[in-house]
Amino acid sequence: MTIRPKNLLLIMTDEHNPKVAGYEGHPQVRTPNMDRLAAAGTRFSAAYSNSPLCVPARAVFATGQYVHDNGCWDNAIAYGGETPGWGHRLQKEGHPVVSIGKLHYLKETDPTGFDEQILPMHIAHGVGDLQGLIRDPMPVRYQSRELAEQIGPGETGYIKYDRMIADAACEWFKEKTETPPDKPWVLFVSFISPHYPLIVPQEYYDLYPTAEVPMPKALADTALLDHPWWKSFRGAYIFDQYFADDEQRRIAIASYFGLCTFVDEQIGKVLDGLEASGLGAGTNIVYTSDHGDNLGARGLWGKSTMYEESARIPMIVVGDGIDAGAVSATPVSQVDIYQTVLDSVGLDAEGDETGLPGGSLLEIAGADDDPDRTVFSEYHAAGSVTGAFMLRRGDYKYVHYLGYAPELYNLADDPEELTNLGGSGDHKDILRGFEDRLRNMVDMDEIDNRAKADQAAWIEDHGGRGKILDAPGINATPSPVGD
């Protein structure tokens, strides 16, 4: 049993594919500080984003509510504090709560549950990715070329930003005064790496010679090329078309590897700063990411899919009473952060909080594995002609594309998701069981209609389809500290 109440340090990276980490057994990538956290605590091998896209994922993280409940569907309709989150509960109870780094909410002046936002990043230009609102007919995202063009060794505003975030966190620890034992603090430190552009300082790039970088796996089930949902998605997200050859793809992957090592070093600075301040013994730690990155697998880059590379996330918890070096197979997700925060600082759920879908990771880590716990994810943004809904339960992952054929994978036998069992007659009972479970959980048609109606209204509020498509599209939010 965890000793509480304690402070809580939440560390988040952006777009970290959990397979790309030393503690996950990656044969090349060096992440000694993430490995250090995994050795000191418990990691969850089946942790997922509740929506594999920045803004929706972070809204879930803040509120403990699924996307269809908080209404932050995409990278334009962002969290503005209207749905109470764990930060608001902490403020109500007098617990200090501070953020350092990327939030990707609507704007800094919104009441999003922080006493102070240090070096915040919010959605681009206060409006985010307006083009991502448009889903019928689906526009081609020509800005995809930027991912293939912006690769290799170098410096960016994102690199500068992440270094500043680590330094600011260390300074915060130095200046932190004693707090009453019944009022522990929560600090959210949020980095942007390894999010693209895939440009990384030379010393990190040099760690991964391209000749040693393997090519990503191809799409095994080519029948999915004719799947209407996927035809729409691949027609919109055309990242891979802009790579000239496989060497260029290897440069991009090597750069991503380097970014993982770079951000790991920043995490190490934060952990060292926590210990040097004398606050380490009184602080629980959670490390996670908002979503992963396809990283060229199946010809896909970026996020926005329910494949393991994109939808699965790192999740590690460290603290008194948490088993060191342990691995939990219990499925967890970002909705569990809300209850984890309350649990760490010694608060009980009250009112509407008792109806939230999550549970405390501090408790789950100490319990026997519960592989039958069900994790839910959804996607309603750029590239999706209809909503995509995912359930992970037991060995299986089920992905339902509203109006189209589903996918089913046995992750125990097929961890790389090479064999889609969605059309298999041998698995019809499993497929029916998953669909029934999903329909008992949510009204997918109502959710899809509501998401599209909200997006249509947002499009009109911002000048209409033509005006939005005439403007330059964005792939990434500008660094708040410049280039």
Side-chain angles (χ1 to χ4, degrees):
M1 183 65 64
T2 305
I3 299 172
R4 291 182 290 272
K6 295 184 73 172
N7 305 319
L8 180 61
L9 171 61
L10 292 166
I11 303 175
M12 179 181 280
T13 52
D14 194 312
E15 205 152 319
H16 183 200
N17 178 334
K19 297 182 179 185
V20 186
Y23 68 83
E24 281 258 353
H26 196 284
Q28 294 170 288
V29 175
R30 306 176 194 182
T31 54
N33 295 294
M34 296 178 196
D35 301 352
R36 164 182 167 190
L37 287 172
T42 295
R43 66 179 175 92
F44 293 91
S45 59
Y48 290 89
S49 175
N50 298 113
S51 189
L53 189 67
C54 294
V55 168
R58 289 165 183 270
V60 173
F61 179 87
T63 65
Q65 294 188 5
Y66 294 128
V67 168
H68 63 267
D69 288 322
N70 65 49
C72 297
W73 306 105
D74 50 61
N75 270 357
I77 305 178
Y79 181 56
E82 51 285 303
T83 301
W86 48 260
H88 299 96
R89 177 69 192 283
L90 293 173
Q91 289 179 317
K92 173 185 173 183
E93 303 290 346
H95 292 267
V97 54
V98 175
S99 72
I100 304 176
K102 179 175 179 178
L103 290 170
H104 234 203
Y105 299 160
L106 187 59
K107 57 183 182 294
E108 185 175 354
T109 55
D110 286 334
T112 51
F114 292 104
D115 302 336
E116 183 181 11
Q117 297 179 21
I118 301 170
L119 295 172
M121 171 192 277
H122 293 289
I123 60 171
H125 316 300
V127 296
D129 178 20
L130 293 174
Q131 193 180 100
L133 297 163
I134 301 172
R135 300 168 62 196
D136 184 20
M138 193 73 64
V140 179
R141 296 178 67 86
Y142 293 105
Q143 64 268 40
S144 298
R145 67 168 56 87
E146 296 172 3
L147 185 142
E149 293 172 349
Q150 298 174 6
I151 59 175
E155 297 280 340
T156 68
Y158 280 7
I159 298 298
K160 177 182 177 182
Y161 184 43
D162 277 346
R163 287 178 172 139
M164 292 175 67
I165 291 167
D167 290 344
C170 291
E171 192 62 31
W172 191 87
F173 293 136
K174 286 180 185 178
E175 297 177 356
K176 188 63 186 166
T177 58
E178 288 293 327
T179 55
D182 62 337
K183 299 296 181 185
W185 48 258
V186 173
L187 179 67
F188 177 36
V189 179
S190 181
F191 297 102
I192 197 164
S193 298
H195 191 290
Y196 53 80
L198 300 179
I199 296 173
V200 66
Q202 187 77 52
E203 63 266 33
Y204 303 97
Y205 180 79
D206 288 344
L207 294 172
Y208 306 106
T210 56
E212 299 175 12
V213 172
M215 283 295 295
K217 64 192 173 194
L219 176 66
D221 185 353
T222 55
L224 289 174
L225 293 174
D226 294 324
H227 188 289
W229 195 97
W230 277 112
K231 286 182 74 171
S232 175
F233 187 89
R234 289 177 177 274
Y237 276 112
I238 54 175
F239 291 120
D240 200 62
Q241 296 180 24
Y242 291 106
F243 286 94
D245 51 31
D246 286 347
E247 176 62 17
Q248 194 175 0
R249 293 181 178 88
R250 287 191 174 95
I251 292 171
I253 295 169
S255 301
Y256 183 89
F257 288 178
L259 285 168
C260 289
T261 300
F262 163 76
V263 78
D264 178 86
E265 187 172 290
Q266 308 315 305
I267 291 171
K269 292 177 183 177
V270 173
L271 298 177
D272 291 345
L274 176 68
E275 292 301 322
S277 70
L279 296 168
T283 304
N284 293 321
I285 302 171
V286 172
Y287 168 64
T288 191
S289 194
D290 51 357
H291 48 74
D293 191 306
N294 289 294
L295 206 59
R298 306 173 189 82
L300 301 169
W301 299 81
K303 49 272 188 178
S304 304
T305 80
M306 295 301 177
Y307 291 122
E308 293 288 277
E309 292 83 2
S310 166
R312 192 162 73 87
I313 54 175
M315 189 76 82
I316 304 171
V317 295
V318 180
D320 288 345
I322 303 296
D323 289 343
V327 181
S328 172
T330 300
V332 298
S333 65
Q334 288 151 342
V335 293
D336 297 314
I337 293 296
Y338 195 114
Q339 305 301 336
T340 303
V341 171
L342 297 191
D343 199 13
S344 182
V345 302
L347 295 176
D348 293 325
E350 62 178 30
D352 291 342
E353 293 168 342
T354 61
L356 294 176
S360 170
L361 296 169
L362 302 175
E363 296 291 347
I364 296 169
D368 292 339
D369 284 352
D370 180 9
D372 288 336
R373 188 176 194 248
T374 301
V375 158
F376 169 84
S377 185
E378 60 191 306
Y379 183 77
H380 308 279
S384 63
V385 66
T386 61
F389 301 85
M390 183 272 281
L391 294 179
R392 169 69 198 271
R393 183 173 185 265
D395 292 340
Y396 288 92
K397 177 198 284 186
Y398 172 79
V399 186
H400 188 101
Y401 304 99
L402 189 59
Y404 304 105
E407 291 178 65
L408 178 71
Y409 296 96
N410 183 328
L411 295 176
D413 296 339
D414 180 25
E416 294 299 315
E417 299 168 292
L418 300 176
T419 304
N420 172 26
L421 305 173
S424 169
D426 294 338
H427 294 82
K428 62 182 180 181
D429 290 341
I430 294 174
L431 286 161
R432 185 181 301 113
F434 268 111
E435 182 172 356
D436 289 347
R437 177 178 290 267
L438 183 57
R439 291 193 180 278
N440 285 332
M441 287 178 62
V442 294
D443 184 336
M444 291 183 285
D445 293 282
E446 186 276 332
I447 290 170
D448 190 56
N449 289 335
R450 181 156 46 90
K452 289 175 177 175
D454 287 353
Q455 289 164 337
W458 215 260
I459 290 167
E460 290 307 307
D461 286 347
H462 290 83
R465 176 187 176 96
K467 181 178 179 180
I468 291 172
L469 292 180
D470 285 343
I474 65 167
N475 261 334
T477 304
S479 168
V481 298
D483 295 332

